[in-house]
């Protein structure tokens, strides 16, 4: 499928997607870091994806946390501080508006920044967890924690165990209930919009294919072509905060 580069020639593409969305009974969205880029949140594989010369793949792992929980918490403190005064952008708000209009709406996100909830979305499946939640490595208790910075290393008030970010790290399995909710939404949706993801990390990378195979009309909104571009019905190249408000 050739990509559509949004310009004045592409109003027919926008119109077509708007018409489809206006009659869709069930819509599922999948978002990645690109939807938060215009809020100032660095993407993972963009040029600002490094911290102290570490890549996310080297820090967001159980092995890294076991080896050096303080270093990993310092990385998360940097990310929490970056996120603490960041606001949703027009792409987040557009999806929240769409949710109010569609009978059956599910937003699946790979992002852990909490911006979809802050932007008004409600039926959210956080595939990779949430940076504003911590989980005890001892008793497993999960709590909201918005301390910026969080005292490191943080310990559980209930059992004294070491707290970790409630985030799915590389090499860890996604919770079964989260995955089954996501696949249920993908199997029944009439339209799927994939926004701001490089389509590299599984299982999210295969979700466009799952929806397409189940009969959905799949649209991709991204700054560049991705492995999903060959699977979806339409790829609209551009910034999510500009394009989603046009579509919705
Ligand atoms: N609008 C639309 N797309 C954008 C924008 C924007 N303003 N800015 C960047 N993008 C696109 C990039 O072109 C890229 O294809 O968003 C995508 C971001 O890709 P990644 O940085 O790989 O982020 P993501 O796909 O969410 O990564 C998936 O990998 O590191 C793990 O767990 C982490 O959830 C993350 C997962």
């Amino acid at each position: 499928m050739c990509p559509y580069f949004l310009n004045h020639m592409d109003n027919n593409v926008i119109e077509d997607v708007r018409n489809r969305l206006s009659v869709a009974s069930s819509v599922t969205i999948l978002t990645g870091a690109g939807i938060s880029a215009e809020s100032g949140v660095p993407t993972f594989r963009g040029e600002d994806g490094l911290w102290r010369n570490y890549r996310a793949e080297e820090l967001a792992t159980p092995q890294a946390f076991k080896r050096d929980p303080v270093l990993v918490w310092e990385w998360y403190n940097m990310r929490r501080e970056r996120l603490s005064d960041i606001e949703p952008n027009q792409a987040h708000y557009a999806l929240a508006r769409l949710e109010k209009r569609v009978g059956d709406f599910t937003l699946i996100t790979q992002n852990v920044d909490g911006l979809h909830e802050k932007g008004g979305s409600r039926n959210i499946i956080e595939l990779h967890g949430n940076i504003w939640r911590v989980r005890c490595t001892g008793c497993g208790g999960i709590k909201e924690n918005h301390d910026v910075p969080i005292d490191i290393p943080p310990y559980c008030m209930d059992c004294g165990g070491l707290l970790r970010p409630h985030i799915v790290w590389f090499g860890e399995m996604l919770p079964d209930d989260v995955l089954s909710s996501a696949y249920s939404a993908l199997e029944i949706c009439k339209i799927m919009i994939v926004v701001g993801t490089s389509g590299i990390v599984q299982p999210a990378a295969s979700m466009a294919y799952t929806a397409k195979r189940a009969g959905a009309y799949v649209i991709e909104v991204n700054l560049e072509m991705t492995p999903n571009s060959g699977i979806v019905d339409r790829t609209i190249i551009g910034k999510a905060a500009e394009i989603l408000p046009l579509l919705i």
Side-chain angles (χ1 to χ4, degrees):
M1 176 58 70
C2 65
Y4 281 94
F5 293 80
L6 185 70
N7 58 37
H8 67 284
M9 300 292 286
D10 287 284
N11 284 342
N12 56 329
V13 174
I14 296 294
E15 215 38 54
D16 174 50
V17 172
R18 284 167 65 91
N19 292 337
R20 290 174 182 273
L21 284 173
S22 65
V23 297
S25 52
S26 170
V27 175
T28 295
I29 309 288
L30 171 66
T31 65
I35 199 169
S36 296
E38 284 151 285
S39 294
V41 183
T43 59
F44 286 92
R45 290 163 190 85
E47 67 286 344
D48 51 0
L50 279 176
W51 175 73
R52 292 189 201 168
N53 288 325
Y54 288 105
R55 296 209 63 75
E57 289 84 344
E58 298 170 276
L59 294 164
T61 70
Q63 295 79 5
F65 189 71
K66 190 173 166 54
R67 189 173 53 245
D68 191 344
V70 169
L71 175 70
V72 173
W73 266 116
E74 285 173 347
W75 179 53
Y76 277 98
N77 257 342
M78 177 278 291
R79 294 178 66 194
R80 288 161 70 100
E81 281 162 29
R82 261 189 174 174
L83 286 170
S84 57
D85 58 355
I86 266 176
E87 292 301 319
N89 62 56
Q90 289 309 317
H92 296 103
Y93 294 125
L95 291 179
R97 286 198 302 276
L98 181 61
E99 181 170 5
K100 291 188 176 69
R101 280 188 0 221
V102 174
D104 176 27
F105 181 92
T106 303
L107 194 161
I108 304 169
T109 187
Q110 301 172 86
N111 300 340
V112 298
D113 56 30
L115 287 180
H116 282 302
E117 188 174 7
K118 206 170 178 182
S121 292
R122 288 296 169 262
N123 190 21
I124 305 169
I125 298 174
E126 293 177 321
L127 288 181
H128 297 161
N130 186 305
I131 202 165
W132 302 114
R133 288 195 197 104
V134 293
R135 186 169 81 237
C136 178
T137 57
C139 65
I142 297 168
K143 289 209 174 80
E144 288 279 326
N145 179 302
H146 290 260
D147 297 347
V148 174
I150 193 168
D151 292 336
I152 48 180
Y155 292 100
C156 176
M157 301 289 278
D158 301 333
C159 77
L162 177 63
L163 295 177
R164 59 165 280 179
H166 181 51
I167 285 182
V168 179
W169 281 335
F170 289 98
E172 293 185 318
M173 300 297 286
L174 277 68
D176 288 340
D177 60 328
V178 167
L179 272 181
S180 59
S181 308
Y183 282 112
S184 302
L186 293 165
E187 295 290 345
I188 60 163
C189 68
K190 299 285 183 253
I191 291 189
M192 178 183 189
I193 308 178
V194 182
V195 189
T197 180
S198 56
I200 292 172
V201 174
Q202 297 294 357
S206 308
M207 287 185 173
Y209 175 72
T210 302
K212 185 81 188 108
R213 193 184 52 196
Y217 187 86
V218 187
I219 301 130
E220 176 185 38
V221 176
N222 208 63
L223 272 190
E224 63 194 354
M225 298 271 283
T226 73
N228 281 321
S229 304
I231 296 163
V232 301
D233 294 283
R234 287 204 193 279
T235 291
I236 303 178
I237 300 290
K239 292 184 174 180
E242 290 169 13
I243 290 175
L244 286 190
L246 291 176
L247 297 181
I248 295 164

